[in-house]
Amino acid sequence: MIDILLAAMVSLVLSMIGTPIAMRLFARRGYGQNIREEGPSGHYDKRGTPTMGGTVIVIAALIGYAASHAGTFTPPTVSGMLVLFLMTGLGMVGFLDDFIKIYKQRSLGLRSGAKAAGQLVVGAIFAVLVVRFPNAYDITPAETRVSFLRDFGPSIGIVAFTVWVLIMIVGFSNAVNLTDGLDGLASGATGVVLGSYVLIGNWQLRNSCVNQLGPNCYWVRDPLDLAVVAAAVLGALVGFLWWNAPPAKIFMGDTGSLALGGVIAGLAVTTRTQLLLIILAGLCVIITMSVIIQVGFFKMTGRRVFRMAPLQHHFELAGWAETTIVVRFWLVAMLCAAAGLGLFWVEWVPKA
């Protein structure tokens, strides 16, 4: 537990102090947000707000994780390092996207093909490595099986597993990216998912098959360190949210949204809760589905289902205040996380 608290505290303090420093640095260099012309008119006032704040989240989380291990004199684990690699790699893809937007003064950065290629390369490396590195109990960070509350069914093979993990990584990194449309929305929505994984990792540690065999124990390689990773990123995110809350003084950009989507996908794979993430991150899934429905329905009929997609912009155009949308969507995110944690706990409870 000391590991978790130390990681969260260090990353929180670093992010809280580092974000205003980044704001001044980015503003001095002209690293301001460009706004889409077809977006809600109320967003035009946000033009020029410093962006790429996700760099602070990533750096603070990495330092918080390292400080936790240095402070407790414990070595990092393979599972934790792989998830942090995924976060950092996708954050670098997002950074390139943000930098091109700023350099060329447009709302579009990397071409969609180049952006997807970057996500696929980072994701493929993670998918291949995550089924290697068995520990003394022959447990690897993940197995080539699909998981919900734990692994189930037979192995699907390394090729199919790699494809499945890539779908998760690309899907959730883009889902968080789509959620990042209003001040503080993606930060709060992702924060509740990370908080859920702090609890899940801690629970899996207390009920690990390595410590005590039982009908409901968990074969997870490094549950404590995965909770430390989640806590480090959560602490960094809370510190950033202090400045990103409405009205935002800085945006996370694709640097932050892709990194956060990657870290929750990586945690889902390594805690063996892949399908559960769909519930835990339900708000991001709903927002992504709104885009799919809008595009698909428009292509088939030439008509729109929503005033604008993603979903948060539909409510903006319906006259809702931005803070109202953000707070209500945060509540939906909390309900989704609570539902996911409830399922996770109920499955563990011994049956009478």
Side-chain angles (χ1 to χ4, degrees):
M1 184 61 74
I2 294 176
D3 314 56
I4 296 172
L5 293 175
L6 185 57
M9 288 174 56
V10 171
S11 61
L12 171 63
V13 171
L14 286 175
S15 182
M16 186 78 76
I17 296 173
T19 301
I21 296 174
M23 286 161 47
R24 290 192 292 271
L25 175 63
F26 294 160
R28 192 179 306 125
R29 292 180 174 271
Y31 292 174
Q33 179 72 31
N34 289 293
I35 305 298
R36 292 186 304 163
E37 292 183 1
E38 65 272 20
S41 59
H43 288 206
Y44 295 153
D45 293 339
K46 301 180 182 183
R47 188 185 301 274
T49 301
T51 187
M52 293 198 303
T55 53
V56 179
I57 298 173
V58 173
I59 293 172
L62 292 174
I63 295 175
Y65 175 82
S68 173
H69 285 284
T72 55
F73 303 102
T74 56
T77 67
V78 172
S79 300
M81 295 295 287
L82 284 173
V83 175
L84 291 175
F85 160 78
L86 182 60
M87 176 189 74
T88 307
L90 291 179
M92 291 176 66
V93 174
F95 180 86
L96 287 174
D97 189 54
D98 286 333
F99 187 79
I100 291 172
K101 291 177 187 175
I102 294 166
Y103 182 76
K104 297 193 174 182
Q105 289 296 298
R106 65 188 191 191
S107 59
L108 296 175
L110 283 171
R111 294 181 182 273
S112 58
K115 189 174 180 180
Q119 292 172 296
L120 290 172
V121 169
V122 175
I125 294 172
F126 172 82
V128 171
L129 294 179
V130 81
V131 293
R132 300 176 184 274
F133 306 107
N135 63 6
Y137 300 93
D138 202 34
I139 307 173
T140 51
E143 292 185 13
T144 55
R145 299 163 68 190
V146 178
S147 61
F148 178 37
L149 305 175
R150 60 182 75 236
D151 290 330
F152 65 88
S155 169
I156 60 175
I158 185 63
V159 175
F161 178 77
T162 300
V163 172
W164 165 237
V165 172
L166 285 175
I167 291 172
M168 285 190 61
I169 291 170
V170 174
F172 279 100
S173 59
N174 287 327
V176 176
N177 187 242
L178 290 171
T179 305
D180 184 31
L182 299 179
D183 297 354
L185 180 56
S187 301
T190 313
V192 297
V193 180
L194 289 166
S196 300
Y197 275 113
V198 173
L199 297 176
I200 287 172
N202 190 48
W203 187 257
Q204 289 177 334
L205 171 68
R206 294 175 183 274
N207 297 279
S208 172
C209 296
V210 171
N211 300 326
Q212 183 176 359
L213 284 174
N216 294 315
C217 65
Y218 298 98
W219 290 103
V220 176
R221 191 188 191 282
D222 306 298
L224 175 59
D225 205 41
L226 294 173
V228 170
V229 170
V233 182
L234 176 59
L237 193 58
V238 171
F240 176 79
L241 182 57
W242 182 269
W243 306 100
N244 181 236
K249 294 179 174 60
I250 187 171
F251 299 139
M252 68 170 66
D254 283 18
T255 308
S257 59
L258 295 188
L260 291 173
V263 77
I264 62 174
L267 288 168
V269 171
T270 49
T271 58
R272 320 292 177 95
T273 56
Q274 298 157 16
L275 295 175
L276 183 64
L277 181 59
I278 297 173
I279 301 173
L280 291 171
L283 176 65
C284 298
V285 174
I286 292 169
I287 288 174
T288 304
M289 289 303 299
S290 74
V291 175
I292 295 171
I293 292 169
Q294 181 87 324
V295 173
F297 194 79
F298 185 80
K299 286 184 176 180
M300 289 188 296
T301 67
R303 299 167 61 189
R304 292 178 172 83
V305 177
F306 307 104
R307 288 182 171 89
M308 187 176 182
L311 187 61
Q312 59 268 32
H313 299 318
H314 167 82
F315 289 105
E316 273 192 290
L317 296 181
W320 289 24
E322 180 172 354
T323 51
T324 300
I325 299 169
V326 170
V327 172
R328 287 178 178 173
F329 274 40
W330 281 353
L331 293 174
V332 173
M334 292 176 191
L335 289 172
C336 291
L341 287 173
L343 281 173
F344 181 80
W345 184 79
V346 167
E347 185 270 347
W348 181 88
V349 174
K351 296 177 177 59

